[in-house]
Amino acid sequence: MRIFDPHIHMTSRTTDDYEAMYAAGVRAVVEPAFWLGQPRTSPASFLDYFDALIGWEPFRAAQYGIAHHCTIALNPKEANDPRCLPVLDELPRYLVKDRVVAVGEIGYDSMTPAEDTAVATQLQLAADHGLPALVHTPHRDKLAGLRRTLDVVRESALPMDRVLIDHLNETTVKEAKDSGCWLGFSVYPDTKMDEERMVAILRAHGTEKVLVNSAADWGRSDPLKTRKVGDLMLAEGFTEDDVDLVLWRNPVAFYGLSGRLDLDVAATDATHEGNSILRGGE
Amino acid sequence: MTHPQDPTGTPAAGTALVPVDELHTVLTAHLPPAARAWLDQALDEAAAHPGIHGPISVWELRLAEAGRRCGAGHADAARVLILHAARADLDALTRVYRQGTADERRAVLHALPHLVPGPDAVPLVEDALRTNDTRLLAAAAGPYAARHLAPHPWRHAVLKCLFTGVPVDSVADLARRSRGDAELARMLGDYAAERTAAGRPVPEDLHRVLTLTGTVPETAPEPETAPHGPVDPHGKES
């Protein structure tokens, strides 16, 4: 089983996780820029974080045979702090980089006017840079949040089929699917979505344009949830091709819209001294 | 794959050593037609509009996208050529390095011997040597460092290569700079003693460098205690 985790915050994870992910079949990840748990107070700390996403973290991932890409954005939560807003002016120089495959994650947290502005501004940035966008739906007041999200996407210059709406669930999947967006599901221990519910949603709504992620981060989460969904799909009668579509081909197709996916770890990260850097990936 | 890949690549380690004209010839011969056309245009643009313009110059955009346009295996060479065509000076190189991905930073390090005649870019090399990214360490230990790095940081660069598993073949001019360096020999001897005390093997590369110093430290290890080759690069000092 080859697995592409389209949403995972590896900065917050250990090398043990990378090893376990590789053993489970994970060969590619996308790490969306997000909140680190401790609120930032200045653009400078965003820049160091973004630099890690285009520098150190791909190096770390490559050591374990995993191709690492990222998405860059000012996240919804911190868009509400005026001290952080100047980071929006720095985004364009990140959005031209190799391995930056989308603008994200953007979206709503508390649905404030500041969040409205940040979402609209960054959807425009995605359109300007030929990138798709990863838009999450809020944890609180999710259905209203989804509707507001779809409205702002419709008003933007970005076509619906270049947008991935994430953290969907039973109450939001149908409207999201009808909109023509790509559909993301974050499978967590206990909370947003679990394996059984995920498989039920796949049975009810199909596999087309569906992406499953672990969204693993610094909180209670499990970087192997993608594999667990794949295993349960097979146990519940889905074919290996269905699993490959959801866990590999769909994320490749969505992030491939950037024209910047490079899934060949050896070609990217072992240019100096042969491929010995791939220790653990062989 | 969404962009050209050539499994052979343009030898990255050579980009700091090969004259720019030759690098251009070799790279052009390896690139598929679309990538070659892109590179030609990028070099023309850079030559026509060198220097820093606004928040991001056109040639800086080309530098950023070189990986997906030419393929990862050729990106180092393409970026060195673009920096050269843009006649990037120290300010430009510093900005590109500071704002760059790890790949762009590596290209700047490779470009230094072509573009900076004096020691002014040493802070960029020192920055790269502070990282634990073995790709950056290997590039930082290139010809520019051999020419301009002071003895103390140069010795630490060699030692860090040994610690992080970067083959010392990456260290430019190793034989000349090591010759007669008793302090480097002492550091290598101490490192070997520390490894031996811990019951861990001494990297074979350490003996190579020690031999090059032509000096025998008091704590010189026995060569037969080194049964294996260099450890793999892993970015962790061990």
Side-chain angles (χ1 to χ4, degrees), chain B residues 13 18-19 52 55-56 65 70 78 102 172 187 192 205 220:
Chain B
V18 177
I52 293 174
I56 186 159
E65 63 182 325
C70 297
M187 291 163 77
D205 266 7

Side-chain angles (χ1 to χ4, degrees), chain A residues 63 97-98 269 272-273, chain B residues 67-68 79 106 135 170 234:
Chain A
Q63 289 178 267
K97 301 297 190 190
D98 286 337
D269 291 296
H272 278 292
E273 277 74 46
Chain B
R68 56 190 184 269
R79 288 186 169 118
R106 190 175 63 231
R135 302 164 307 176
S170 306
H234 44 67

Side-chain angles (χ1 to χ4, degrees), chain A residues 79-277:
Chain A
N80 289 302
D81 187 335
R83 293 174 299 178
C84 297
L85 284 179
V87 79
L88 287 171
D89 299 331
E90 302 285 341
L91 294 181
R93 69 179 169 89
Y94 286 97
L95 298 181
V96 300
K97 301 297 190 190
D98 286 337
R99 311 187 79 83
V100 175
V101 290
V103 169
E105 48 187 308
I106 54 176
Y108 287 106
D109 182 57
S110 304
M111 290 193 271
T112 63
E115 292 172 27
D116 279 328
T117 305
V119 173
T121 302
Q122 295 185 96
L123 286 170
Q124 184 63 47
L125 281 174
D128 292 345
H129 289 84
L131 290 173
L134 170 60
V135 185
H136 90 174
T137 46
H139 305 292
R140 306 176 301 279
D141 201 9
K142 192 179 273 286
L143 185 56
L146 172 78
R147 288 172 180 160
R148 188 141 156 193
T149 300
L150 293 177
D151 284 344
V152 73
V153 172
R154 284 192 192 98
E155 288 164 13
S156 78
L158 204 60
M160 281 293 190
D161 60 3
R162 293 178 70 83
V163 173
L164 168 57
I165 305 284
D166 210 350
H167 306 334
L168 292 171
N169 61 21
E170 291 85 350
T171 65
T172 51
V173 56
K174 185 169 185 314
E175 284 187 43
K177 186 178 170 73
D178 290 346
S179 75
C181 291
W182 295 74
L183 312 171
F185 294 88
S186 301
V187 181
Y188 262 30
D190 306 332
T191 56
K192 291 188 179 75
M193 177 57 56
D194 64 26
E195 295 94 305
E196 288 77 16
R197 291 163 55 203
M198 187 67 241
V199 171
I201 285 174
L202 285 165
R203 195 176 292 116
H205 297 278
T207 52
E208 190 192 351
K209 289 177 123 175
V210 170
L211 286 74
V212 171
N213 62 74
S214 72
D217 58 11
W218 36 259
R220 182 151 188 261
S221 49
D222 177 359
L224 305 183
K225 279 295 187 191
T226 47
R227 173 65 196 233
K228 289 169 184 169
V229 168
D231 287 341
L232 190 62
M233 283 177 73
L234 292 175
E236 298 277 317
F238 282 92
T239 65
E240 289 191 7
D241 189 67
D242 293 330
V243 173
D244 192 67
L245 180 67
V246 171
L247 294 184
W248 187 266
R249 299 200 307 274
N250 282 345
V252 168
F254 175 72
Y255 287 117
L257 294 170
S258 68
R260 304 185 197 177
L261 267 191
D262 182 359
L263 299 173
D264 188 346
V265 176
T268 307
D269 291 296
T271 47
H272 278 292
E273 277 74 46
N275 63 359
S276 57
I277 206 167

Side-chain angles (χ1 to χ4, degrees), chain B residues 74-100:
Chain B
H74 300 303
D76 276 355
R79 288 186 169 118
V80 169
L81 291 173
I82 293 168
L83 288 167
H84 185 263
R87 302 190 284 284
D89 61 9
L90 183 64
D91 286 347
L93 290 165
T94 301
R95 172 158 115 168
V96 168
Y97 180 91
R98 288 190 181 155
Q99 298 189 350

